[in-house]
Amino acid sequence: QVQLVESGGGLVQAGGSLRLSCTISGRFSTFDTMGWFRQAPGKEREFVAQITWRAGNAYYIDSVKGRFFISRDDVENTVFLQMNNLKPEDTAVYYCARRAQFVSNWDSWGQGTQVTVSS
């Protein structure tokens, strides 16, 4: 089992930046993929970005491309989501998740961190 703990959320004005962190502990493999999801009030949870741990290949949804950047720290076992030029529509609870190698579903989730962007 993997434990994920997010931090770094908060209240920011439109155009501002935040960096989310997700600390990983437990049975984690370098062949895993780490992702960030978000859920806005009244909406379904949506995928935001992912990174393959070993190769560092990143993928983003179109709405955050060029504004959000996912990265990982091999030493601290932490994955980050740098969010720039934030917009009110980015307001959501952001979740970190893990997908194991050869598995299609995201099987471990953090508790979430609130990001609120004011206009």
Side-chain angles (χ1 to χ4, degrees):
Q1 190 70 12
V2 170
Q3 292 78 45
L4 307 174
V5 179
E6 302 98 335
S7 61
L11 173 64
V12 64
Q13 288 188 332
S17 298
L18 283 174
R19 189 177 80 155
L20 305 183
S21 300
C22 174
T23 302
I24 306 162
S25 60
R27 297 185 63 183
F28 176 77
S29 165
T30 58
F31 293 100
D32 291 348
T33 297
M34 297 302 299
W36 286 96
F37 291 72
R38 65 186 180 186
Q39 187 167 19
K43 295 188 177 181
E44 293 188 354
R45 187 176 299 186
E46 70 168 345
F47 169 83
V48 175
Q50 72 177 45
I51 187 168
T52 57
W53 194 269
R54 192 172 182 88
N57 295 322
Y59 178 80
Y60 305 89
I61 56 172
D62 287 345
S63 61
V64 307
K65 282 181 181 177
R67 300 189 298 121
F68 289 13
F69 300 94
I70 189 171
S71 61
R72 82 270 191 255
D73 184 320
D74 293 352
V75 175
E76 298 295 330
N77 275 1
T78 302
V79 61
F80 303 98
L81 186 67
Q82 177 67 42
M83 305 186 295
N84 301 323
N85 190 22
L86 282 160
K87 303 176 180 181
E89 52 263 42
D90 295 319
T91 295
V93 178
Y94 283 72
Y95 297 90
C96 175
R98 187 280 301 261
R99 188 178 72 219
Q101 189 186 24
F102 305 128
V103 175
S104 60
N105 62 304
W106 299 85
D107 62 356
S108 299
W109 295 83
Q111 82 289 350
T113 185
Q114 176 71 46
V115 171
T116 303
V117 184
S118 63
S119 56

